Amino acid sequence: MGQETVESAQLIILVVDDHEAVLGGTVSALKTQYPEAIIHTATTAQDAQAQVDRQIPNVALLDLSIPEAPSEQANTSAGLQLLRTLMQSYQTLNIVVQSAHVKSLIRLKPTINAHEGGFTVADKSASMQEMLTKVDWALQGLMFTPKEMRAGLEVKPEWLEVLNFAFQEGLQDRAIAQAMNLSERTVRNYWTKVQDALGVYPDEGINMRIQTEIRAREEGLID
Amino acid sequence: MGDISIAMLDHHRKTSGSEMSHQRTAIGRFERFWNELLLRRRTQKAVQWWCDRQTLNATEQAESIRDGLLQEIFSLRRSMELQLALQPQNSLENSHRGLPQLEQIYNQLKNLAEQIAPLDLDTNFLFVIKQTLSKWSDERTDLKVSFDFPQDWNYPPSQNIHLILQFLMELLAIAVPEESEEVLINLRSNTHQRIEVTVIYSDLGLHKKNEELVDIHYLGQAFEFLVPGTFRQRAWDCQITYSLSW
């Protein structure tokens, strides 16, 4: 898969997991793709929050089942609360959820939908290459949620507006932003949301915008 | 006049007597109905309690798989992927390094399967119950545990033998807290098959507290309804003997 990966120089990556062996494996895997990156680790929700408050990473990889504090038991509530807090406090933070509990993310659907940074999900059953692809997508600001999280096609009115401006009126992102009185960044974020809803992701030889138009017409979102 | 009065009194007595008899019958019927209703309600609560406990146990088992086994498999896989990516020329040596971890994961899965549904329980009850209780005893290093089992057990397996074992393990989980001193587990048979668990508590306060546990009460009722069997509890000094018969 893949477009060119994001440059690794000066990248700061935070990996959050309470299993040492998992942390070690993930850090080593990340170093194969981002050899120059500075990789920090955290084993509790409190430590992860403190690290992000100290220095916002380019991307944070989070397990959902972690303890709130040292010597506490791991639980998904602590992981979900950390994720919620990070998304609300750092709206442009790029996040990868790497977990065996990805189904729990359904509880945060509205927060995930409103998030402006990249957001991807890598189940722990995924291969190393799939995980690295998801990290790269998150760094590009893209969105990927598992199919189970998407019950039917849910497209917000503002995303539809972007599609109409782009494919009915032929506007580029800057012009769309002006027409909708939004920032370009927000328009790009809406693109990633609607592409995730339509199941359009980067792949060899794929033109994302054209593929989005094809899928949008198939779903009847545009004429 | 006197005869009429006597006749009237007699009639009144007979009528009153008959009414009272009706009333007694109606009260008796109401009492029976009320008692049946109470018994049904108590049984319902006990069965609900049992279902809640099993759901909790299943949730804990599932979490232990997600937080334990799955994480180990993830680490093993990443380790092998990294070795393949970074040192493909050493693939044979790298495969060997993963074998001990694979064996560990295999054993964990095997134990988990035994925990969920012990193999051969209905054909070899005595052996399985000894194994299960030995394992429980090994985990309770704080406790002195002794067993009194017969040499043979030649009874046809109960339809609900798995359920009986579940009840026994739940009883041990509830009735043997950390402050207990000693546990003696007997397996008996005469007209019925019976397991007796005698718990010796370290002080009277704990003994009293355990004697009145609501959970034991629900467990007993659920056992009697679901197995079906008989559950008894005898307390004296600092000991309580729990008896499950079927």
Side-chain angles (χ1 to χ4, degrees):
Chain A
M1 284 187 197
Q3 302 171 339
E4 293 294 320
T5 59
V6 172
E7 289 290 324
S8 79
Q10 300 308 309
L11 264 184
I12 297 169
I13 303 176
L14 173 66
V15 183
V16 184
D17 201 298
D18 64 321
H19 294 89
E20 292 291 344
V22 169
L23 265 183
T26 304
V27 168
S28 301
L30 287 167
K31 282 194 171 142
T32 62
Q33 185 153 290
Y34 309 103
E36 309 294 327
I38 299 165
I39 304 179
H40 299 298
T41 61
T43 55
T44 67
Q46 274 179 8
D47 188 21
Q49 182 72 60
Q51 291 210 39
V52 174
D53 290 342
R54 212 163 31 238
Q55 184 179 36
I56 303 171
N58 295 93
V59 65
L61 276 82
L62 310 178
D63 186 9
L64 288 180
S65 178
I66 51 173
E68 171 62 34
S71 70
E72 281 185 23
Q73 196 140 5
N75 63 89
T76 44
S77 299
L80 287 169
Q81 186 52 44
L82 170 68
L83 187 55
R84 184 186 282 117
T85 307
L86 289 178
M87 284 195 289
Q88 286 169 349
S89 310
Y90 303 98
Q91 294 205 343
T92 57
L93 173 65
N94 298 318
I95 295 169
V96 179
V97 172
Q98 179 179 245
S99 181
H101 296 75
V102 293
K103 279 188 182 169
S104 304
L105 283 171
I106 197 84
R107 297 182 229 175
L108 292 187
K109 219 166 134 182
T111 314
I112 293 167
N113 280 342
H115 190 60
E116 293 176 17
F119 186 94
T120 63
V121 178
D123 194 294
K124 277 187 172 171
S125 61
S127 68
M128 184 172 83
Q129 193 47 58
E130 282 172 25
M131 183 273 285
L132 291 172
T133 300
K134 298 290 171 49
V135 172
D136 190 59
W137 287 0
L139 282 166
Q140 291 180 48
L142 301 180
M143 180 140 174
F144 174 85
T145 55
K147 216 182 255 184
E148 301 82 34
M149 262 187 71
R150 295 176 256 136
L153 183 63
E154 287 175 53
V155 177
K156 294 193 170 207
E158 51 269 29
W159 307 350
L160 263 182
E161 238 185 298
V162 168
L163 290 177
N164 281 321
F165 277 130
F167 301 126
Q168 307 282 57
E169 298 186 31
L171 299 187
Q172 289 182 331
D173 286 357
R174 183 178 291 185
I176 295 172
Q178 277 173 357
M180 290 176 71
N181 203 23
L182 297 169
S183 69
E184 257 190 87
R185 189 194 174 93
T186 304
V187 170
R188 279 198 296 276
N189 184 253
Y190 287 169
W191 274 115
T192 70
K193 298 280 196 310
V194 77
Q195 280 160 352
D196 182 46
L198 292 169
V200 176
Y201 304 107
D203 205 347
E204 204 69 52
I206 292 288
N207 181 312
M208 292 270 287
R209 290 289 168 99
I210 293 176
Q211 192 66 21
T212 306
E213 186 182 357
I214 293 170
R215 284 286 298 123
R217 289 190 198 285
E218 278 171 2
E219 293 293 339
L221 300 180
I222 48 177
D223 295 327
Chain B
M1 190 71 169
D3 287 337
I4 291 168
S5 299
I6 290 167
M8 277 174 70
L9 271 171
D10 198 36
H11 174 75
H12 177 72
R13 201 170 38 241
K14 278 182 185 165
T15 309
S16 299
S18 171
E19 275 175 7
M20 279 177 69
S21 170
H22 279 309
Q23 278 175 356
R24 272 199 292 272
T25 308
I27 289 169
R29 272 209 294 265
F30 178 77
E31 273 177 352
R32 277 196 301 277
F33 164 76
W34 186 250
N35 288 337
E36 273 172 26
L37 196 64
L38 280 178
L39 178 63
R40 191 183 289 187
R41 182 80 187 115
R42 276 197 292 263
T43 307
Q44 187 184 37
K45 280 180 90 166
V47 171
Q48 275 171 351
W49 171 89
W50 175 254
C51 291
D52 288 344
R53 289 286 292 204
Q54 301 319 299
T55 303
L56 187 64
N57 289 342
T59 305
E60 282 174 1
Q61 271 180 338
E63 271 312 295
S64 81
I65 293 171
R66 285 190 201 102
D67 272 339
L69 275 170
L70 287 185
Q71 306 300 325
E72 285 195 49
I73 291 171
F74 172 90
S75 312
L76 177 63
R77 182 190 184 158
R78 280 292 175 269
S79 169
M80 291 169 80
E81 283 172 323
L82 280 164
Q83 281 159 8
L84 272 171
L86 302 173
Q87 297 175 322
Q89 67 279 9
N90 293 339
S91 59
L92 189 60
E93 189 191 321
N94 294 339
S95 304
H96 280 148
R97 279 207 221 118
L99 286 175
Q101 204 172 355
L102 268 173
E103 194 181 327
Q104 201 182 5
I105 291 168
Y106 178 89
N107 286 330
Q108 284 177 326
L109 280 168
K110 195 175 92 171
N111 289 339
L112 183 61
E114 269 303 298
Q115 212 178 29
I116 292 169
L119 205 54
D120 295 333
L121 181 60
D122 53 351
T123 54
N124 206 341
F125 173 65
L126 190 58
F127 174 72
V128 172
I129 202 168
K130 275 182 184 172
Q131 265 205 321
T132 309
L133 290 174
S134 292
K135 197 160 171 292
W136 174 80
S137 169
D138 290 342
E139 287 164 11
R140 291 298 303 268
T141 52
D142 55 313
L143 199 57
K144 183 180 168 194
V145 184
S146 37
F147 302 109
D148 181 10
F149 291 150
Q151 287 289 91
D152 301 300
W153 190 260
N154 296 319
Y155 296 92
S158 163
Q159 205 175 340
N160 291 322
I161 199 71
H162 189 201
L163 192 56
I164 291 164
L165 185 58
Q166 281 179 305
F167 269 107
L168 173 60
M169 299 318 291
E170 283 290 349
L171 176 65
L172 292 174
I174 298 166
V176 190
E178 278 178 7
E179 303 88 346
S180 315
E181 272 189 13
E182 192 176 340
V183 173
L184 172 61
I185 304 175
N186 297 330
L187 187 58
R188 299 241 181 282
S189 63
N190 37 43
T191 51
H192 290 90
Q193 298 166 68
R194 187 164 84 247
I195 296 175
E196 279 181 355
V197 177
T198 300
V199 186
I200 300 169
Y201 298 96
S202 52
D203 64 70
L204 268 172
L206 185 63
H207 168 266
K208 191 77 189 144
K209 188 173 132 198
N210 267 55
E211 199 185 347
E212 290 162 6
L213 271 182
V214 168
D215 282 347
I216 296 281
H217 171 71
Y218 281 143
L219 183 140
Q221 282 197 307
F223 180 84
E224 292 193 344
F225 181 76
L226 289 172
V227 169
T230 311
F231 179 85
R232 293 285 178 266
Q233 179 179 309
R234 283 190 335 267
W236 74 99
D237 294 340
C238 277
Q239 306 182 67
I240 303 179
T241 294
Y242 306 93
S243 163
L244 298 100
S245 318
W246 64 98

